[in-house]
Amino acid sequence: MQQLTVELGDRSYPIFIGSGLLEQRGLFTPHIAGKQVCVVTDDTVAPLYLETLRNTLEGYQLISVTLPTGEAYKNWATLQQIFDALLAARHDRRTTLIALGGGVIGDMTGFAAACYQRGVDFIQVPTTLLSQVDSSVGGKTGINHPAGKNMLGAFYQPQAVIIDTATLASLPAREVSAGLAEVIKYGLIRDAAFLDWLEEHMQGLRKPDQDLVTEAIARSCAIKAEVVAADEREGGVRAILNLGHTFGHAIEAHQGYGQWLHGEAVGAGMAMALDMSRRLGWIDAAAAERGTAIIAAAGLPIIPPSSMSPQDFMDLMAVDKKVLDGQLRLVLLQAIGEAVVTADFETTTLQQTLAQNQS
């Protein structure tokens, strides 16, 4: 087992990474203050891992909430089911919520924990590659709005992140590829050597090879933890973690949440960011082509849906969370491994990228 720490002073918390961690009671109990526990999961994950977690936490007053699977249900109505269950079971301020599932479950459980009785503890137990390398770490919680992804939420840190890599054995190939989008992102924005490693081992990562994936998770989480520690609430450097996300979130909103997986939309969005960085003269054609080839090698799309026009992108990106004072900011690359958040570009350059990437 590997252990990392997200350094946030008295709110610091551990990340545990290894196989079989769902069965290790000692990882959970130090982070559960009271006797009440509420496990939030979905109808895909529940049949696979809920009973294991119940057995691990035997002796607690445990209830579970099983939500429908998918991004389409990341909304107020579904969130309300968590509150309904907590209130029906008379859970108090010492309850601990446990998010057992992918990014949708983690985001919603964290948001529910931030809101319930003005804040209760929660633990992240991510079961998809994407949630293990990205969304479970850093305290971003929330739900979607029809006008934009993750527009409603809170920064609210977990007590611990427990990553059981054995759960990846049940993950469909499409979900593995979606998770690799966020892994590739870390190499592109901050660690060129890691990108070299990913390029070399991509075939094994897609299998997925347990040792390789564990290494990729650990290196991704280390980068995420470092950035979050420096900028918890995304006032500065943390925004670089959104490479490709402004384009990607627009794709998700336009297509309907769940039609494109988040990682698929981010993959296409990163290819668009590489293209625009090249047009600005910040990276050369070889770097842009290499980055795009790595995204494609992960099994991800590199062009957006043909049904999206440049104006569709502009309309949807106008409500992106990085917009300040009405000005769109994008995460772009000044070099492989060096990202910047900038509004320093001509609209014509952005329009060229949006037009170039039509299929």
Side-chain angles (χ1 to χ4, degrees):
M1 185 182 73
Q2 299 189 50
Q3 180 176 345
L4 307 170
T5 302
V6 181
E7 299 287 357
L8 292 170
D10 59 2
R11 292 177 299 108
S12 298
Y13 56 92
I15 305 169
F16 303 104
I17 306 166
S19 182
L21 302 194
L22 273 176
E23 300 171 2
Q24 295 194 27
R25 182 183 177 91
L27 296 181
F28 290 87
T29 53
H31 309 290
I32 300 174
K35 297 179 180 179
Q36 297 174 320
V37 172
C38 174
V39 179
V40 182
T41 186
D42 64 32
D43 52 19
T44 298
V45 174
L48 298 171
Y49 306 116
L50 180 56
E51 193 60 29
T52 299
L53 190 53
R54 279 186 180 278
N55 291 335
T56 298
L57 298 178
E58 185 178 0
Y60 286 97
Q61 298 170 20
L62 189 149
I63 64 171
S64 62
V65 182
T66 300
L67 304 177
T69 300
E71 194 83 30
Y73 299 99
K74 191 179 174 182
N75 54 38
W76 276 117
T78 308
L79 185 71
Q80 189 71 24
Q81 294 181 41
I82 304 175
F83 298 134
D84 290 346
L86 290 167
L87 290 166
R90 299 184 180 180
H91 275 222
D92 58 35
R93 285 180 170 176
R94 283 170 60 82
T95 189
T96 298
L97 275 59
I98 297 180
L100 177 65
V104 171
I105 290 298
D107 282 8
M108 294 184 69
T109 304
F111 192 25
C115 296
Y116 188 67
Q117 299 202 25
R118 298 187 176 92
V120 298
D121 291 344
F122 85 109
I123 297 170
Q124 288 273 18
V125 185
T127 60
T128 65
L129 182 57
L130 190 146
S131 60
Q132 290 176 354
V133 301
D134 189 65
S135 61
S136 65
V137 177
K140 277 189 176 182
T141 74
I143 57 174
N144 298 331
H145 185 279
K149 184 178 171 72
N150 294 329
M151 295 304 291
L152 308 171
F155 287 99
Y156 196 71
Q157 301 294 342
Q159 297 300 302
V161 180
I162 300 172
I163 299 173
D164 188 340
T165 56
T167 60
L168 297 178
S170 61
L171 203 63
R174 184 184 177 193
E175 291 278 2
V176 173
S177 289
L180 288 171
E182 297 285 4
V183 178
I184 293 167
K185 173 194 73 179
Y186 291 114
L188 287 172
I189 65 170
R190 204 167 175 90
D191 192 338
F194 184 34
L195 192 69
D196 294 342
W197 184 87
L198 292 172
E199 191 172 34
E200 179 182 353
H201 296 292
M202 189 58 71
Q203 291 298 319
L205 289 165
R206 290 185 68 182
K207 285 184 179 178
D209 177 278
Q210 185 73 208
D211 291 339
L212 291 175
V213 172
T214 299
E215 176 68 14
I217 293 169
R219 293 177 73 166
S220 297
C221 286
I223 294 170
K224 180 78 177 275
E226 177 185 281
V227 173
V228 170
D231 177 22
E232 181 181 0
R233 291 179 173 263
E234 206 170 277
V237 67
R238 182 169 177 171
I240 67 171
L241 296 172
N242 291 311
L243 178 71
H245 285 58
T246 301
F247 298 114
H249 287 170
I251 292 171
E252 290 182 88
H254 183 272
Q255 295 298 290
Y257 296 120
Q259 296 304 306
W260 279 52
L261 296 179
H262 175 65
E264 293 171 337
V266 167
M270 290 192 298
M272 297 172 77
L274 285 162
D275 178 80
M276 188 165 170
S277 300
R278 177 190 62 79
R279 290 178 185 277
L280 290 168
W282 294 355
I283 62 173
D284 60 23
E289 290 168 5
R290 178 191 175 215
T292 301
I294 294 171
I295 296 165
L300 294 162
I302 54 174
I303 54 175
S306 58
S307 59
M308 287 190 73
S309 69
Q311 192 58 51
D312 289 331
F313 272 102
M314 295 299 292
D315 290 344
L316 289 163
M317 292 192 300
V319 295
D320 184 80
K321 294 186 293 299
K322 290 183 294 301
V323 171
L324 290 180
D325 298 324
Q327 192 168 30
L328 177 64
R329 299 184 304 153
L330 295 172
V331 183
L332 301 173
L333 297 183
Q334 293 182 321
I336 296 296
E338 184 179 341
V340 63
V341 185
T342 182
D344 186 19
F345 54 83
E346 297 292 334
T347 302
T348 52
T349 305
L350 174 58
Q351 292 283 359
Q352 290 168 356
T353 288
L354 297 177
Q356 175 68 24
N357 283 278
Q358 295 298 290
S359 59

PDB file of all heavy atoms in Angstrom, residues 144-169:
ATOM      1  N   ASN A 144     -24.568  19.199 -11.493  1.00  0.00           N
ATOM      2  CA  ASN A 144     -24.668  19.909 -12.764  1.00  0.00           C
ATOM      3  C   ASN A 144     -25.943  20.741 -12.845  1.00  0.00           C
ATOM      4  O   ASN A 144     -26.932  20.483 -12.150  1.00  0.00           O
ATOM      5  CB  ASN A 144     -24.660  18.909 -13.928  1.00  0.00           C
ATOM      6  CG  ASN A 144     -23.384  18.101 -13.992  1.00  0.00           C
ATOM      7  OD1 ASN A 144     -22.320  18.565 -13.587  1.00  0.00           O
ATOM      8  ND2 ASN A 144     -23.478  16.884 -14.499  1.00  0.00           N
ATOM      9  N   HIS A 145     -25.908  21.727 -13.717  1.00  0.00           N
ATOM     10  CA  HIS A 145     -27.078  22.518 -14.091  1.00  0.00           C
ATOM     11  C   HIS A 145     -27.211  22.371 -15.604  1.00  0.00           C
ATOM     12  O   HIS A 145     -26.206  22.209 -16.301  1.00  0.00           O
ATOM     13  CB  HIS A 145     -26.866  23.985 -13.701  1.00  0.00           C
ATOM     14  CG  HIS A 145     -28.060  24.854 -13.941  1.00  0.00           C
ATOM     15  ND1 HIS A 145     -28.375  25.383 -15.181  1.00  0.00           N
ATOM     16  CD2 HIS A 145     -29.032  25.271 -13.089  1.00  0.00           C
ATOM     17  CE1 HIS A 145     -29.479  26.097 -15.082  1.00  0.00           C
ATOM     18  NE2 HIS A 145     -29.900  26.046 -13.822  1.00  0.00           N
ATOM     19  N   PRO A 146     -28.430  22.403 -16.133  1.00  0.00           N
ATOM     20  CA  PRO A 146     -28.560  22.264 -17.596  1.00  0.00           C
ATOM     21  C   PRO A 146     -27.704  23.242 -18.384  1.00  0.00           C
ATOM     22  O   PRO A 146     -27.290  22.947 -19.511  1.00  0.00           O
ATOM     23  CB  PRO A 146     -30.060  22.521 -17.834  1.00  0.00           C
ATOM     24  CG  PRO A 146     -30.719  22.075 -16.561  1.00  0.00           C
ATOM     25  CD  PRO A 146     -29.744  22.441 -15.466  1.00  0.00           C
ATOM     26  N   ALA A 147     -27.394  24.395 -17.800  1.00  0.00           N
ATOM     27  CA  ALA A 147     -26.590  25.398 -18.508  1.00  0.00           C
ATOM     28  C   ALA A 147     -25.097  25.160 -18.385  1.00  0.00           C
ATOM     29  O   ALA A 147     -24.317  25.755 -19.135  1.00  0.00           O
ATOM     30  CB  ALA A 147     -26.920  26.797 -17.991  1.00  0.00           C
ATOM     31  N   GLY A 148     -24.679  24.312 -17.426  1.00  0.00           N
ATOM     32  CA  GLY A 148     -23.242  24.117 -17.255  1.00  0.00           C
ATOM     33  C   GLY A 148     -22.922  23.045 -16.239  1.00  0.00           C
ATOM     34  O   GLY A 148     -23.659  22.826 -15.278  1.00  0.00           O
ATOM     35  N   LYS A 149     -21.781  22.386 -16.456  1.00  0.00           N
ATOM     36  CA  LYS A 149     -21.359  21.282 -15.597  1.00  0.00           C
ATOM     37  C   LYS A 149     -20.756  21.806 -14.295  1.00  0.00           C
ATOM     38  O   LYS A 149     -19.959  22.745 -14.298  1.00  0.00           O
ATOM     39  CB  LYS A 149     -20.337  20.424 -16.357  1.00  0.00           C
ATOM     40  CG  LYS A 149     -19.879  19.163 -15.609  1.00  0.00           C
ATOM     41  CD  LYS A 149     -18.919  18.379 -16.483  1.00  0.00           C
ATOM     42  CE  LYS A 149     -18.268  17.246 -15.704  1.00  0.00           C
ATOM     43  NZ  LYS A 149     -19.202  16.163 -15.414  1.00  0.00           N
ATOM     44  N   ASN A 150     -21.134  21.169 -13.180  1.00  0.00           N
ATOM     45  CA  ASN A 150     -20.571  21.478 -11.856  1.00  0.00           C
ATOM     46  C   ASN A 150     -20.734  22.946 -11.478  1.00  0.00           C
ATOM     47  O   ASN A 150     -19.899  23.504 -10.755  1.00  0.00           O
ATOM     48  CB  ASN A 150     -19.085  21.092 -11.793  1.00  0.00           C
ATOM     49  CG  ASN A 150     -18.866  19.600 -11.886  1.00  0.00           C
ATOM     50  OD1 ASN A 150     -19.701  18.809 -11.456  1.00  0.00           O
ATOM     51  ND2 ASN A 150     -17.746  19.202 -12.458  1.00  0.00           N
ATOM     52  N   MET A 151     -21.804  23.575 -11.904  1.00  0.00           N
ATOM     53  CA  MET A 151     -21.995  24.985 -11.602  1.00  0.00           C
ATOM     54  C   MET A 151     -22.511  25.215 -10.187  1.00  0.00           C
ATOM     55  O   MET A 151     -22.500  26.339  -9.685  1.00  0.00           O
ATOM     56  CB  MET A 151     -22.954  25.617 -12.617  1.00  0.00           C
ATOM     57  CG  MET A 151     -22.408  25.648 -14.037  1.00  0.00           C
ATOM     58  SD  MET A 151     -20.808  26.481 -14.202  1.00  0.00           S
ATOM     59  CE  MET A 151     -21.279  28.169 -13.866  1.00  0.00           C
ATOM     60  N   LEU A 152     -22.985  24.159  -9.525  1.00  0.00           N
ATOM     61  CA  LEU A 152     -23.512  24.274  -8.165  1.00  0.00           C
ATOM     62  C   LEU A 152     -22.721  23.336  -7.274  1.00  0.00           C
ATOM     63  O   LEU A 152     -22.650  22.136  -7.545  1.00  0.00           O
ATOM     64  CB  LEU A 152     -25.001  23.897  -8.127  1.00  0.00           C
ATOM     65  CG  LEU A 152     -25.885  24.623  -9.143  1.00  0.00           C
ATOM     66  CD1 LEU A 152     -27.274  24.004  -9.169  1.00  0.00           C
ATOM     67  CD2 LEU A 152     -25.967  26.104  -8.825  1.00  0.00           C
ATOM     68  N   GLY A 153     -22.095  23.858  -6.224  1.00  0.00           N
ATOM     69  CA  GLY A 153     -21.292  22.979  -5.391  1.00  0.00           C
ATOM     70  C   GLY A 153     -20.541  23.736  -4.319  1.00  0.00           C
ATOM     71  O   GLY A 153     -20.839  24.895  -4.023  1.00  0.00           O
ATOM     72  N   ALA A 154     -19.551  23.075  -3.746  1.00  0.00           N
ATOM     73  CA  ALA A 154     -18.761  23.657  -2.661  1.00  0.00           C
ATOM     74  C   ALA A 154     -17.373  23.035  -2.646  1.00  0.00           C
ATOM     75  O   ALA A 154     -17.201  21.888  -3.076  1.00  0.00           O
ATOM     76  CB  ALA A 154     -19.450  23.410  -1.318  1.00  0.00           C
ATOM     77  N   PHE A 155     -16.400  23.780  -2.157  1.00  0.00           N
ATOM     78  CA  PHE A 155     -15.106  23.192  -1.826  1.00  0.00           C
ATOM     79  C   PHE A 155     -15.242  22.588  -0.431  1.00  0.00           C
ATOM     80  O   PHE A 155     -15.495  23.301   0.545  1.00  0.00           O
ATOM     81  CB  PHE A 155     -14.000  24.263  -1.823  1.00  0.00           C
ATOM     82  CG  PHE A 155     -13.609  24.730  -3.190  1.00  0.00           C
ATOM     83  CD1 PHE A 155     -14.115  25.913  -3.708  1.00  0.00           C
ATOM     84  CD2 PHE A 155     -12.722  23.994  -3.963  1.00  0.00           C
ATOM     85  CE1 PHE A 155     -13.755  26.353  -4.972  1.00  0.00           C
ATOM     86  CE2 PHE A 155     -12.348  24.421  -5.229  1.00  0.00           C
ATOM     87  CZ  PHE A 155     -12.873  25.605  -5.735  1.00  0.00           C
ATOM     88  N   TYR A 156     -15.089  21.271  -0.333  1.00  0.00           N
ATOM     89  CA  TYR A 156     -15.297  20.599   0.953  1.00  0.00           C
ATOM     90  C   TYR A 156     -14.442  19.338   0.959  1.00  0.00           C
ATOM     91  O   TYR A 156     -14.680  18.408   0.186  1.00  0.00           O
ATOM     92  CB  TYR A 156     -16.782  20.248   1.124  1.00  0.00           C
ATOM     93  CG  TYR A 156     -17.176  19.911   2.543  1.00  0.00           C
ATOM     94  CD1 TYR A 156     -17.225  20.897   3.520  1.00  0.00           C
ATOM     95  CD2 TYR A 156     -17.503  18.611   2.903  1.00  0.00           C
ATOM     96  CE1 TYR A 156     -17.596  20.592   4.829  1.00  0.00           C
ATOM     97  CE2 TYR A 156     -17.872  18.296   4.201  1.00  0.00           C
ATOM     98  CZ  TYR A 156     -17.915  19.298   5.162  1.00  0.00           C
ATOM     99  OH  TYR A 156     -18.280  18.999   6.450  1.00  0.00           O
ATOM    100  N   GLN A 157     -13.429  19.331   1.826  1.00  0.00           N
ATOM    101  CA  GLN A 157     -12.437  18.263   1.793  1.00  0.00           C
ATOM    102  C   GLN A 157     -12.908  17.004   2.536  1.00  0.00           C
ATOM    103  O   GLN A 157     -13.571  17.108   3.574  1.00  0.00           O
ATOM    104  CB  GLN A 157     -11.128  18.741   2.422  1.00  0.00           C
ATOM    105  CG  GLN A 157     -10.513  19.956   1.746  1.00  0.00           C
ATOM    106  CD  GLN A 157     -10.039  19.690   0.337  1.00  0.00           C
ATOM    107  OE1 GLN A 157      -9.847  18.536  -0.061  1.00  0.00           O
ATOM    108  NE2 GLN A 157      -9.833  20.751  -0.444  1.00  0.00           N
ATOM    109  N   PRO A 158     -12.544  15.819   2.022  1.00  0.00           N
ATOM    110  CA  PRO A 158     -12.855  14.574   2.730  1.00  0.00           C
ATOM    111  C   PRO A 158     -11.930  14.364   3.916  1.00  0.00           C
ATOM    112  O   PRO A 158     -10.927  15.077   4.080  1.00  0.00           O
ATOM    113  CB  PRO A 158     -12.617  13.506   1.660  1.00  0.00           C
ATOM    114  CG  PRO A 158     -11.540  14.098   0.793  1.00  0.00           C
ATOM    115  CD  PRO A 158     -11.817  15.579   0.765  1.00  0.00           C
ATOM    116  N   GLN A 159     -12.257  13.383   4.751  1.00  0.00           N
ATOM    117  CA  GLN A 159     -11.389  12.990   5.854  1.00  0.00           C
ATOM    118  C   GLN A 159     -10.273  12.064   5.372  1.00  0.00           C
ATOM    119  O   GLN A 159      -9.199  12.015   5.965  1.00  0.00           O
ATOM    120  CB  GLN A 159     -12.214  12.268   6.934  1.00  0.00           C
ATOM    121  CG  GLN A 159     -13.284  13.134   7.565  1.00  0.00           C
ATOM    122  CD  GLN A 159     -12.712  14.355   8.245  1.00  0.00           C
ATOM    123  OE1 GLN A 159     -11.879  14.251   9.146  1.00  0.00           O
ATOM    124  NE2 GLN A 159     -13.142  15.535   7.809  1.00  0.00           N
ATOM    125  N   ALA A 160     -10.549  11.326   4.306  1.00  0.00           N
ATOM    126  CA  ALA A 160      -9.566  10.396   3.745  1.00  0.00           C
ATOM    127  C   ALA A 160     -10.028   9.988   2.358  1.00  0.00           C
ATOM    128  O   ALA A 160     -11.221  10.066   2.031  1.00  0.00           O
ATOM    129  CB  ALA A 160      -9.406   9.165   4.630  1.00  0.00           C
ATOM    130  N   VAL A 161      -9.074   9.546   1.538  1.00  0.00           N
ATOM    131  CA  VAL A 161      -9.374   8.951   0.230  1.00  0.00           C
ATOM    132  C   VAL A 161      -8.771   7.553   0.244  1.00  0.00           C
ATOM    133  O   VAL A 161      -7.567   7.383   0.439  1.00  0.00           O
ATOM    134  CB  VAL A 161      -8.767   9.784  -0.922  1.00  0.00           C
ATOM    135  CG1 VAL A 161      -9.097   9.135  -2.264  1.00  0.00           C
ATOM    136  CG2 VAL A 161      -9.267  11.226  -0.872  1.00  0.00           C
ATOM    137  N   ILE A 162      -9.635   6.553   0.064  1.00  0.00           N
ATOM    138  CA  ILE A 162      -9.213   5.153   0.121  1.00  0.00           C
ATOM    139  C   ILE A 162      -9.411   4.544  -1.264  1.00  0.00           C
ATOM    140  O   ILE A 162     -10.533   4.307  -1.707  1.00  0.00           O
ATOM    141  CB  ILE A 162     -10.007   4.386   1.197  1.00  0.00           C
ATOM    142  CG1 ILE A 162      -9.774   5.042   2.572  1.00  0.00           C
ATOM    143  CG2 ILE A 162      -9.616   2.915   1.218  1.00  0.00           C
ATOM    144  CD1 ILE A 162     -10.649   4.492   3.684  1.00  0.00           C
ATOM    145  N   ILE A 163      -8.301   4.316  -1.962  1.00  0.00           N
ATOM    146  CA  ILE A 163      -8.329   3.864  -3.360  1.00  0.00           C
ATOM    147  C   ILE A 163      -7.982   2.383  -3.414  1.00  0.00           C
ATOM    148  O   ILE A 163      -6.827   1.992  -3.241  1.00  0.00           O
ATOM    149  CB  ILE A 163      -7.342   4.678  -4.213  1.00  0.00           C
ATOM    150  CG1 ILE A 163      -7.713   6.163  -4.193  1.00  0.00           C
ATOM    151  CG2 ILE A 163      -7.295   4.137  -5.646  1.00  0.00           C
ATOM    152  CD1 ILE A 163      -6.700   7.067  -4.883  1.00  0.00           C
ATOM    153  N   ASP A 164      -8.997   1.566  -3.643  1.00  0.00           N
ATOM    154  CA  ASP A 164      -8.799   0.119  -3.787  1.00  0.00           C
ATOM    155  C   ASP A 164      -8.663  -0.188  -5.274  1.00  0.00           C
ATOM    156  O   ASP A 164      -9.646  -0.184  -6.016  1.00  0.00           O
ATOM    157  CB  ASP A 164      -9.978  -0.639  -3.182  1.00  0.00           C
ATOM    158  CG  ASP A 164      -9.749  -2.145  -3.125  1.00  0.00           C
ATOM    159  OD1 ASP A 164      -8.881  -2.644  -3.874  1.00  0.00           O
ATOM    160  OD2 ASP A 164     -10.443  -2.826  -2.356  1.00  0.00           O
ATOM    161  N   THR A 165      -7.441  -0.446  -5.721  1.00  0.00           N
ATOM    162  CA  THR A 165      -7.193  -0.659  -7.147  1.00  0.00           C
ATOM    163  C   THR A 165      -7.828  -1.941  -7.669  1.00  0.00           C
ATOM    164  O   THR A 165      -7.985  -2.101  -8.890  1.00  0.00           O
ATOM    165  CB  THR A 165      -5.685  -0.675  -7.434  1.00  0.00           C
ATOM    166  OG1 THR A 165      -5.060  -1.679  -6.626  1.00  0.00           O
ATOM    167  CG2 THR A 165      -5.067   0.679  -7.114  1.00  0.00           C
ATOM    168  N   ALA A 166      -8.229  -2.846  -6.766  1.00  0.00           N
ATOM    169  CA  ALA A 166      -8.894  -4.072  -7.211  1.00  0.00           C
ATOM    170  C   ALA A 166     -10.222  -3.779  -7.875  1.00  0.00           C
ATOM    171  O   ALA A 166     -10.707  -4.574  -8.688  1.00  0.00           O
ATOM    172  CB  ALA A 166      -9.092  -5.019  -6.027  1.00  0.00           C
ATOM    173  N   THR A 167     -10.834  -2.643  -7.559  1.00  0.00           N
ATOM    174  CA  THR A 167     -12.130  -2.311  -8.164  1.00  0.00           C
ATOM    175  C   THR A 167     -12.013  -2.055  -9.658  1.00  0.00           C
ATOM    176  O   THR A 167     -13.014  -2.114 -10.383  1.00  0.00           O
ATOM    177  CB  THR A 167     -12.748  -1.074  -7.491  1.00  0.00           C
ATOM    178  OG1 THR A 167     -11.871   0.052  -7.652  1.00  0.00           O
ATOM    179  CG2 THR A 167     -12.984  -1.311  -6.004  1.00  0.00           C
ATOM    180  N   LEU A 168     -10.806  -1.795 -10.135  1.00  0.00           N
ATOM    181  CA  LEU A 168     -10.638  -1.524 -11.566  1.00  0.00           C
ATOM    182  C   LEU A 168     -10.825  -2.776 -12.410  1.00  0.00           C
ATOM    183  O   LEU A 168     -11.028  -2.681 -13.625  1.00  0.00           O
ATOM    184  CB  LEU A 168      -9.253  -0.921 -11.822  1.00  0.00           C
ATOM    185  CG  LEU A 168      -8.990   0.434 -11.156  1.00  0.00           C
ATOM    186  CD1 LEU A 168      -7.568   0.891 -11.452  1.00  0.00           C
ATOM    187  CD2 LEU A 168      -9.996   1.471 -11.618  1.00  0.00           C
ATOM    188  N   ALA A 169     -10.775  -3.954 -11.785  1.00  0.00           N
ATOM    189  CA  ALA A 169     -10.948  -5.208 -12.537  1.00  0.00           C
ATOM    190  C   ALA A 169     -12.326  -5.300 -13.173  1.00  0.00           C
ATOM    191  O   ALA A 169     -12.503  -5.981 -14.196  1.00  0.00           O
ATOM    192  CB  ALA A 169     -10.710  -6.401 -11.619  1.00  0.00           C
TER     193      ALA A 169
END
